[in-house]
Amino acid sequence: MANPLTPEELQVINKELEEKIAAAVEDDSKWKDVLPELMGADVFVVAQFTNQVDANGNRMLNVLSATNKDGHKAIPFFTSPSKMRVLAGPQKKSFNCMKMSTVRLFNAIKGKTALLNPGSKECTKVFTPFEVNLLAMEHKSKMDAANKENK
């Protein structure tokens, strides 16, 4: 069994990427440089694989979705475990977390809204279903390369 990361190690996961995202939140023109890095990065999502498989033989993913006060659903995903603290509360102190590439996540949730680092003021972004689909298609080669490495 792998050793768990220390709190200090958890703080530095994707730290440089988070700084770039925060800069892009301030200046939209920077997203064009940040998105390719985000799509290739490992992110964290509350999810688990199911026993069902898709047409390509890949196991299906059951992902947590959140609903805002207006009734809109989104899939939250996080650049680091420390950003996931927003999910913890008095009733729920732990949850199943998976690390996966953003492109793999976006491919699994096509047609849905994704919310990067909800609860973070400086490091958040909403991805519309159109953006999720477009980014998944544009960066599919990253997922294909990762799949070849894992075989």
Side-chain angles (χ1 to χ4, degrees), residues 67-72:
T67 307
N68 70 10
K69 61 183 180 228
D70 298 327
H72 297 109

Side-chain angles (χ1 to χ4, degrees), residues 103-127:
V103 71
R104 173 171 250 145
L105 171 65
F106 277 23
N107 196 58
I109 64 166
K110 284 182 183 172
K112 295 187 168 69
T113 300
L115 180 55
L116 175 63
N117 294 325
S120 171
K121 292 179 181 148
E122 73 286 343
C123 193
T124 190
K125 179 166 176 51
V126 174
F127 293 91

Side-chain angles (χ1 to χ4, degrees), residues 106-107 109-112 128-139:
F106 277 23
N107 196 58
I109 64 166
K110 284 182 183 172
K112 295 187 168 69
T128 66
F130 176 78
E131 290 171 317
V132 168
N133 293 349
L134 182 64
L135 289 166
M137 287 186 326
E138 284 180 352
H139 297 274

